[in-house]
């Protein structure tokens, strides 16, 4: 079973002449305890083309020391990584392989670097002997194992790692003492990155970029690449059930699919349309979990807003049981999708698309006019759906029409956001107003879905002999919320549809 540890550390350059200063002068440090020297042997793994290193991931098999085993590290922020650990084994443990699938695309990982480290360890403790941080002076020998076997590099470095629960401010205090002693931060973010750089073979010829950076194709491809990288990055986060990960991955799939539709004059739709269908499938599988999360949070807030005198029956308990069951099913659906061959094929297809983008002639033209035309075309599509929605009286037909307008507003907003590098502030302002329209329509649709769920929960409560009063009351409040959003919709649309905002895109 894999376990996760949050690693917060800083690295510093060292030489044979470097000595540690008195770190008891750092606030909160009462003593520095010598813990001796540990000999560590770690083999780092990657794909043949170093995909993990390119994404700032490290995978190693370490022997020696107190944490022998397989370690997979994900970057969180500068100096912060999540280390997922699995027991020592001859081959890569399955839980780690699953977390790497979106990066490796099921290619084998092979040894690329071996690091032998002699680690001189000291513990910084407070007055009660509680561990605050570990400071180590590492003497490192790196040996290349893949495309330039036998190449070596060696260096010394100082590593300061916080203990769990320690105030991160201690790192600043320790760094201040180190800098006064002439010790400087490392230029490399990790031992592996340094080893790869210092043992790298001579670089081959640089492949020229296929597009000038000012062209429409360059801008759209940059946006497409960003969304694909987000999908790849959040795949393991979704598997680890990290907060917000499903939402971010789902948004990236939707943004990418919208980009394919909006910018089909730049990217050949015979290639991107089938990919868009697969992205729609993936977004749908992720949506089961995300929609449940949003709906449950909405209903919980509604219940919390009611005084206790209006909570008749086991309302909260029924909502919790309903939510727990559906979340379990949703989680199972998401993991099945990510583990499927269909998802792997999609990831490989997206990888090939970036390597050989299906560009059309318009991709080589100057970005502003091409991009603005595409954004305005999506706006026209949205305007047609808004006009249709406003022709219906309140009721199911208007609800459905407003939902269709919401999807069009989202696509137009994504198109404008993708156009910001080419069109600047006018596109940014346009996207902001379209987001406001989308928000109003989204709130309305959420109220529609909530009403359907509340009706179901009310029926279930009644069938179980419970009072359905509270569920009916909440249903009425959602009806009022939906009506309020309908009233707010025309004003939001009027602001977004002002002709001057569209004209600004073409100046």
């Amino acid at each position: 079973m894999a376990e996760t540890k949050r690693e917060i550390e800083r690295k510093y350059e060292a030489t044979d002449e470097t000595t540690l200063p008195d770190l008891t002068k750092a606030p909160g440090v009462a003593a520095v305890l010598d813990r001796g020297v540990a000999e560590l042997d770690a083999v780092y793994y990657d794909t043949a083309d170093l995909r993990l290193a390119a994404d700032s991931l490290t995978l190693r098999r370490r022997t020696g020391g107190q944490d022998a085993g397989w370690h997979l590290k994900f970057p969180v922020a500068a100096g912060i990584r999540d280390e997922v650990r699995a027991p020592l084994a001859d081959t890569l443990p399955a839980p780690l392989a699953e977390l790497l699938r979106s990066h490796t695309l099921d290619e084998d990982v092979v040894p690329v670097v071996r690091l032998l480290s002699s680690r001189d360890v000291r513990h910084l403790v407070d007055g009660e002997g509680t561990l605050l941080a570990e400071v180590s002076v590492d003497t490192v020998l790196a040996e290349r194992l893949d495309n330039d076997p036998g190449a070596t590099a060696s260096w010394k470095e100082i590593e300061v790692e916080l203990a769990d629960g320690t105030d991160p401010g201690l790192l600043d205090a320790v760094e201040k003492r180190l800098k006064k002693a002439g010790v400087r931060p490392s230029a490399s973010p990790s031992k592996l990155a340094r080893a790869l750089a210092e043992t790298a073979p001579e670089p081959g010829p640089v492949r020229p970029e296929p597009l000038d950076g000012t062209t429409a194709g360059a801008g759209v491809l940059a946006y497409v690449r960003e969304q694909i990288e987000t999908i790849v990055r959040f795949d393991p986060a979704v598997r680890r059930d990290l907060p917000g990960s499903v939402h971010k991955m789902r948004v990236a799939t939707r943004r990418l699919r919208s980009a394919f539709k909006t910018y089909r004059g730049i990217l050949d739709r015979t290639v991107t349309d089938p990919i868009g269908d697969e992205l729609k499938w993936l977004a749908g599988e992720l949506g089961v979990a995300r929609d449940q999360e949003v709906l449950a949070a909405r209903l919980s807030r509604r219940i919390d807003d009611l005084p206790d005198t209006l909570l008749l029956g086991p309302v909260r308990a029924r909502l919790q049981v309903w939510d727990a069951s559906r979340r379990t099913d949703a989680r199972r659906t998401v993991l099945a999708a990510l583990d499927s061959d269909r998802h792997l094929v999609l990831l490989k297809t997206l990888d090939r698309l970036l390597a050989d983008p299906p560009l059309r002639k318009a991709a080589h033209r100057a970005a502003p006019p091409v991009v603005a035309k595409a954004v305005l075309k999506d706006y026209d599509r949205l305007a047609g759906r808004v006009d249709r929605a406003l022709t219906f009286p309140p009721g199911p037909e208007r609800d459905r029409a407003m939902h269709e307008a919401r999807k069009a507003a989202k696509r137009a907003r994504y198109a404008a956001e993708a156009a910001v590098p080419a069109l600047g502030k006018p596109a940014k302002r346009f996207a902001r107003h379209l987001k406001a329209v989308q928000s109003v329509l989204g709130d309305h649709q959420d109220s529609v879905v909530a009403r359907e769920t509340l009706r179901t929960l009310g029926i279930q409560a009644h069938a179980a002999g419970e009072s359905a009063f509270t569920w009916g009351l909440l249903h009425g409040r959602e009806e009022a919320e939906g009506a309020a959003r309908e009233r707010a919709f025309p004003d939001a649309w009027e602001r977004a549809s002002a002709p001057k905002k569209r004209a600004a895109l073409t100046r």
Side-chain angles (χ1 to χ4, degrees):
M1 178 65 69
E3 61 173 327
T4 301
K5 180 182 183 301
R6 175 63 55 89
E7 179 183 84
I8 304 176
E9 65 179 20
R10 295 182 188 177
K11 296 180 181 294
Y12 302 87
E13 303 286 351
T15 67
D16 290 338
E17 289 72 38
T18 301
T19 58
L20 288 175
D22 182 2
L23 295 179
T24 61
K25 294 184 180 297
V29 178
V32 179
L33 307 180
D34 191 337
R35 295 306 188 194
V37 177
E39 301 298 332
L40 308 177
D41 185 347
V43 175
Y44 287 77
Y45 289 74
D46 207 331
T47 59
D49 54 356
L50 302 180
R51 285 175 174 268
L52 303 186
D55 292 335
S56 300
L57 304 182
T58 59
L59 172 66
R60 73 185 178 201
R61 182 182 183 274
R62 173 186 275 178
T63 57
Q66 297 181 346
D67 62 347
W70 285 88
H71 304 156
L72 171 58
K73 298 187 180 186
F74 291 96
V76 177
I80 304 176
R81 294 186 291 182
D82 278 346
E83 183 178 273
V84 184
R85 299 177 176 180
L88 195 62
D90 292 337
T91 58
L92 178 63
L96 301 192
E98 291 168 1
L99 292 177
L100 287 171
R101 195 179 191 219
S102 67
H103 294 272
T104 64
L105 303 180
D106 267 7
E107 290 184 21
D108 291 336
V109 292
V110 296
V112 293
V113 168
R114 183 183 187 187
L115 294 182
L116 299 174
S117 301
S118 182
R119 170 161 290 181
D120 190 357
V121 180
R122 294 163 179 81
H123 284 177
L124 307 187
V125 298
D126 63 16
E128 297 179 353
T130 301
L131 178 64
L132 300 175
E134 180 176 285
V135 179
S136 62
V137 180
D138 296 345
T139 302
V140 184
L141 172 64
E143 179 185 3
R144 194 71 180 235
L145 302 175
D146 57 344
N147 53 18
D148 192 15
T152 62
S154 60
W155 67 89
K156 291 187 74 170
E157 68 179 36
I158 297 170
E159 186 176 289
V160 184
E161 181 176 350
L162 283 185
D164 293 343
T166 301
D167 183 349
L170 178 65
L171 286 177
D172 294 329
V174 170
E175 183 167 291
K176 184 177 180 180
R177 303 306 307 168
L178 292 174
K179 284 186 175 180
K180 283 188 175 181
V183 178
R184 294 292 177 261
S186 174
S188 186
S190 68
K191 286 183 175 66
L192 175 62
R194 183 166 184 170
L196 290 174
E198 296 190 12
T199 63
E202 290 296 320
V206 178
R207 181 179 177 182
E209 288 292 329
L211 292 167
D212 180 276
T214 63
T215 61
V220 170
L221 281 179
Y223 183 81
V224 165
R225 180 180 297 277
E226 180 184 353
Q227 307 317 314
I228 293 175
E229 289 176 348
T230 300
I231 293 170
V232 171
R233 184 170 69 254
F234 280 98
D235 180 298
V238 170
R239 293 175 185 272
R240 294 168 58 201
D241 204 17
L242 297 184
S245 57
V246 170
H247 174 59
K248 291 175 182 176
M249 187 175 179
R250 183 192 189 194
V251 168
T253 63
R254 286 178 161 180
R255 287 180 183 274
L256 183 56
R257 182 168 177 258
S258 288
F260 287 159
K261 288 180 175 294
T262 297
Y263 297 108
R264 58 182 53 175
I266 296 170
L267 298 174
D268 186 351
R269 66 177 299 180
T270 63
V271 175
T272 58
D273 278 0
I275 301 175
D277 291 340
E278 294 304 288
L279 290 168
K280 182 179 181 180
W281 162 77
L282 178 58
E285 299 298 279
L286 294 169
V288 175
R290 175 57 182 170
D291 290 346
Q292 177 61 24
E293 178 185 341
V294 171
L295 178 56
R298 182 184 184 95
L299 297 183
S300 182
R301 288 195 304 271
R302 292 286 189 240
I303 291 172
D304 290 342
D305 289 341
L306 291 177
D308 290 343
T309 54
L310 297 181
L311 296 178
L312 304 187
V315 176
R316 285 195 177 90
R318 177 165 291 281
L319 180 65
Q320 289 169 357
V321 170
W322 167 84
D323 182 38
S325 173
R326 290 174 65 92
R327 278 181 188 264
T328 299
D329 291 343
R331 175 75 177 156
R332 191 179 296 115
T333 296
V334 168
L335 292 179
L338 297 188
D339 287 338
S340 68
D341 291 340
R342 185 174 183 177
H343 179 53
L344 181 61
V345 170
L346 171 58
L347 291 172
K348 289 182 176 181
T349 303
L350 293 175
D351 189 62
R352 289 194 297 270
L353 181 138
L354 290 179
D356 186 19
L359 301 173
R360 301 185 66 192
K361 288 183 180 180
H364 300 274
R365 298 173 187 159
V370 176
V371 170
K373 181 180 178 181
V375 173
L376 291 174
K377 186 175 181 180
D378 272 356
Y379 166 83
D380 290 341
R381 177 173 172 271
L382 167 61
R385 292 197 180 185
V386 169
D387 289 344
R388 183 172 185 274
L390 293 176
T391 63
F392 291 110
E397 283 189 300
R398 173 177 272 201
D399 291 343
R400 286 190 290 270
M402 290 181 70
H403 182 45
E404 291 302 312
R406 174 195 177 218
K407 290 189 286 187
K410 184 179 296 186
R411 176 169 154 181
R413 169 200 162 192
Y414 289 163
E417 289 174 345
V420 168
L423 304 180
K425 289 183 178 179
K428 191 173 184 178
R429 286 193 293 267
F430 194 50
R432 187 171 64 248
H433 285 290
L434 290 173
K435 183 178 180 180
V437 172
Q438 177 195 330
S439 179
V440 170
L441 291 170
D443 287 344
H444 177 269
Q445 177 62 16
D446 287 348
S447 78
V448 172
V449 174
R451 275 176 261 163
E452 294 173 356
T453 301
L454 289 167
R455 183 176 182 276
T456 298
L457 289 170
I459 292 171
Q460 292 173 352
H462 178 73
E466 302 164 8
S467 171
F469 169 82
T470 302
W471 303 112
L473 176 62
L474 293 173
H475 188 284
R477 292 197 172 191
E478 286 293 352
E479 281 187 322
E481 176 66 19
R485 295 298 87 197
E486 288 186 34
R487 291 192 297 271
F489 174 40
D491 288 341
W493 174 242
E494 183 178 1
R495 289 190 292 272
S497 60
K500 64 180 183 180
K501 292 184 175 65
R502 301 196 300 282
L505 299 175
T506 58
R507 289 174 185 166

